[in-house]
Amino acid sequence: MTLDTTAYNSLYKTYREGALTHRRFKHQDVVALVKIHEAKEILQVAEIGKSVESRAIYKLQYGRGDKKVMLWSQMHGDEPTATQALFDIFNFLEGEDDGFDSIRNCLKDNLTIHFIPMLNPDGAERFIRRNAQYIDLNRDARANQTIEAKLLRRMAEEIKPNYGFNLHDQSIYYNVPGTKNPVTIAVLAPAYNTEREVNDVRKGAMQLIVGMNNLLQQYVPNAVAKYDDTHSPRGFGDNFQAWGASTVLIESGGLKGDPEKQEIRRLNFAIILNALLEIAQDSYKKYNYKAYDDIPFNASQLHDVIIRKIDLGTDSVPLKTDIAIRRAELTVERDYCVRGWVEDIGDLEGTYGYDELDVDGLKFVQGKVYPQVFQTVDDISNSRALELLKEGYIAVRVASRGSDRLHNLPLVVSAHAEFVPTAKIVLTGTSNFFLGDGATLKYAVVNGYLIDLSRPPQENFYKNWIN
């Protein structure tokens, strides 16, 4: 009994949890959904403990089979992609009469599945990696200093799972070695000892990953890699492997055009459900575990923007070089803005960008501040913003920030009269400037976003902040 990508896509479309649409959801959103599932009485719901700040941590259980599977997500509060996919899977498990009841029955009869969808609710509330005590829960498997780590350890001891799934997000700046492809999904069969030996338990995890990779290559060819397999005695995945559970780490990475990772969420839905089905049928055992070694390890050579052969010289000192630009996310309530800066300058051959541009023949041009003061950002349309950029204005001023300081304009917006655009490309410096040939401005870089001035700017793409 197998499913193909068409079936997984159909199921995802049907059962996608519509209450979760962005990464910065809160604990209260999860609680509301858990209560809905509890009322349906198909998944067994239990509050298994509370966080440092007394937020409830839940486990949802499905099935009555002999094989025990344990999945935990969001032990890092700012890594929520798989959490959303778990709720999609919950909806599927509660479905019926859709042509897939045989799949549910197979899972129900062969597996007992234990899901912990948000292990670190305090971190999720702040959208930070660590818990409220600033401890990394995934480095607390050995010492068990935190409430949340003790809880996960207790669940492992009580459930004694045969299989484990450790669900995370990784940096969007990992790439597949030798390519500009972002690593969309990274996987790992964690090592249970420093020698990284392969016993039957770890071999099972490797076989599961081979099956996942086979499916992923149909979705995102050449966009899968392995996470670093150095043994970490403090890490939960390594310890679950040592405790006898064939454990798979899934890391949701990057995909161009998917800033909220909703496409990557769909991939999580497919590969997790597929792995559960393969465990239920023992079909993963058909894979040659040595094919796991064919998956490359993450490389770390990716940036948001690479501009090559930019002329940064003066009349007396010529310089034609490359620059890399990075955009950092800054959380604002349930949303975020970015801060763009110059990450590197020099010979960047062998590094890559989500956006890359060879500007041989173009020079750095300092932008200007538009002299007219607008009342609010609502007075400026995207088309007007493009006109201003073409005239050399990189920034505008507003009289009022308004109630929401976030905006989607391809401009720097400031409520301060003293704002000065980038005057020179310097390491860690700001990234608000133009590229031109001396007669015409060709490109703008606004807060780390590369904008082609010959094209309309993207709608609702820029995540900027009124200074």
Side-chain angles (χ1 to χ4, degrees):
M1 189 184 308
T2 60
L3 297 176
D4 59 17
T5 56
T6 300
Y8 283 121
N9 292 344
S10 175
L11 289 173
Y12 176 74
K13 184 177 180 180
T14 301
Y15 293 108
R16 180 180 183 273
E17 177 50 65
L20 302 175
T21 59
H22 57 83
R23 288 175 288 138
R24 286 169 171 80
F25 54 86
K26 303 293 186 181
H27 175 252
Q28 66 194 55
D29 303 313
V30 166
V31 172
L33 291 172
V34 166
K35 296 301 181 184
I36 291 171
H37 290 294
E38 184 175 32
K40 293 181 179 180
E41 298 185 341
I42 294 173
L43 293 158
Q44 299 172 44
V45 175
E47 181 181 321
I48 55 174
K50 293 188 183 294
S51 67
V52 173
E53 296 180 334
S54 296
R55 293 185 173 92
I57 299 172
Y58 294 96
K59 179 172 72 70
L60 291 81
Q61 182 176 327
Y62 182 83
R64 52 176 177 256
D66 294 334
K67 300 170 189 172
K68 292 172 286 186
V69 186
M70 187 171 164
L71 304 93
W72 62 98
S73 183
Q74 221 164 343
M75 67 190 311
H76 294 146
D78 59 354
E79 299 181 6
T81 304
T83 303
Q84 299 175 82
L86 291 186
F87 280 95
D88 304 331
I89 290 172
F90 299 160
N91 289 342
F92 165 73
L93 295 175
E94 294 168 341
E96 59 181 352
D97 299 329
D98 58 359
F100 295 94
D101 285 336
S102 61
I103 300 295
R104 297 184 189 90
N105 290 334
C106 180
L107 297 175
K108 185 185 302 181
D109 293 341
N110 292 284
L111 307 179
T112 301
I113 314 172
H114 302 266
F115 302 92
I116 303 174
M118 183 183 275
L119 184 67
N120 181 7
D122 300 342
E125 200 69 16
R126 299 165 171 81
F127 203 72
I128 61 172
R129 177 182 177 89
R130 299 179 178 229
N131 78 342
Q133 298 164 303
Y134 303 103
I135 301 294
D136 184 337
L137 301 185
N138 204 27
R139 301 296 180 268
D140 195 26
R142 180 176 59 193
N144 266 199
Q145 297 171 327
T146 62
I147 291 173
E148 298 90 349
K150 288 176 182 175
L151 175 60
L152 185 59
R153 176 71 177 264
R154 177 167 65 84
M155 288 296 101
E157 291 170 349
E158 291 180 4
I159 295 167
K160 295 181 173 59
N162 307 106
Y163 303 89
F165 290 83
N166 189 9
L167 306 175
H168 290 262
D169 284 62
Q170 71 172 16
S171 167
I172 66 171
Y173 300 109
Y174 287 117
N175 63 293
V176 176
T179 78
K180 66 176 293 183
N181 298 347
V183 174
T184 301
I185 295 285
V187 287
L188 179 68
Y192 65 89
N193 62 12
T194 54
E195 292 77 21
R196 294 180 262 196
E197 293 175 321
V198 179
N199 59 5
D200 287 342
V201 173
R202 192 177 183 214
K203 176 182 175 182
M206 291 175 169
Q207 289 171 303
L208 284 168
I209 287 171
V210 172
M212 288 180 176
N213 187 47
N214 289 344
L215 182 60
L216 283 168
Q217 292 302 325
Q218 299 175 59
Y219 280 109
V220 282
N222 200 23
V224 180
K226 293 198 297 279
Y227 202 79
D228 178 20
D229 68 347
T230 302
H231 175 63
S232 173
R234 301 184 299 159
F236 267 100
D238 305 67
N239 279 282
F240 266 80
Q241 205 85 272
W243 298 334
S246 293
T247 302
V248 172
L249 170 72
I250 299 175
E251 297 267 1
S252 297
L255 181 65
K256 187 173 182 178
D258 188 24
E260 289 296 338
K261 297 194 178 184
Q262 296 304 293
E263 283 300 304
I264 303 177
R265 165 188 181 172
R266 179 168 64 100
L267 300 182
N268 273 261
F269 172 84
I271 62 174
I272 292 171
L273 191 53
N274 184 74
L276 293 174
L277 186 58
E278 295 218 290
I279 292 169
Q281 301 176 105
D282 281 336
S283 59
Y284 73 92
K285 294 180 179 179
K286 69 187 177 188
Y287 300 121
N288 183 349
Y289 78 97
K290 293 183 178 180
Y292 172 83
D293 293 329
D294 296 333
I295 304 172
F297 282 102
N298 279 331
S300 186
Q301 300 159 312
L302 193 58
H303 309 271
D304 283 301
V305 178
I306 293 284
I307 299 175
R308 305 191 189 279
K309 299 179 184 176
I310 181 173
D311 189 341
L312 300 179
T314 64
D315 291 340
S316 57
V317 183
L319 176 63
K320 188 176 289 188
T321 190
D322 308 332
I323 64 172
I325 294 172
R326 177 74 61 94
R327 297 190 296 267
E329 289 187 5
L330 306 173
T331 296
V332 183
E333 303 272 336
R334 290 171 176 262
D335 207 339
Y336 69 98
C337 61
V338 305
R339 181 181 68 84
W341 82 97
V342 178
E343 186 181 20
D344 203 355
I345 305 173
D347 177 3
L348 298 181
E349 184 178 354
T351 64
Y352 309 93
Y354 277 91
D355 290 307
E356 293 189 22
L357 185 65
D358 188 320
V359 297
D360 195 11
L362 301 184
K363 299 192 68 169
F364 167 89
V365 179
Q366 185 176 7
K368 301 178 293 185
V369 179
Y370 190 62
Q372 175 185 340
V373 177
F374 295 91
Q375 187 60 37
T376 69
V377 291
D378 295 334
D379 296 328
I380 312 167
S381 65
N382 252 26
S383 58
R384 179 62 175 139
L386 181 60
E387 292 174 1
L388 292 171
L389 289 171
K390 288 181 176 180
E391 294 169 12
Y393 297 108
I394 203 90
V396 298
R397 291 175 293 162
V398 292
S400 171
R401 291 191 177 100
S403 58
D404 184 0
R405 293 181 65 175
L406 302 179
H407 71 91
N408 301 122
L409 290 174
L411 288 169
V412 176
V413 180
S414 177
H416 299 287
E418 67 273 14
F419 176 79
V420 178
T422 302
K424 184 180 180 181
I425 299 294
V426 297
L427 198 62
T428 73
T430 58
S431 53
N432 302 297
F433 57 89
F434 290 101
L435 297 165
D437 59 8
T440 307
L441 298 177
K442 302 291 187 180
Y443 298 92
V445 177
V446 178
N447 196 23
Y449 291 103
L450 179 64
I451 301 167
D452 184 342
L453 298 182
S454 68
R455 300 177 180 177
Q458 298 182 59
E459 295 283 347
N460 300 316
F461 173 71
Y462 309 100
K463 305 290 290 187
N464 290 324
W465 171 263
I466 301 175
N467 299 312

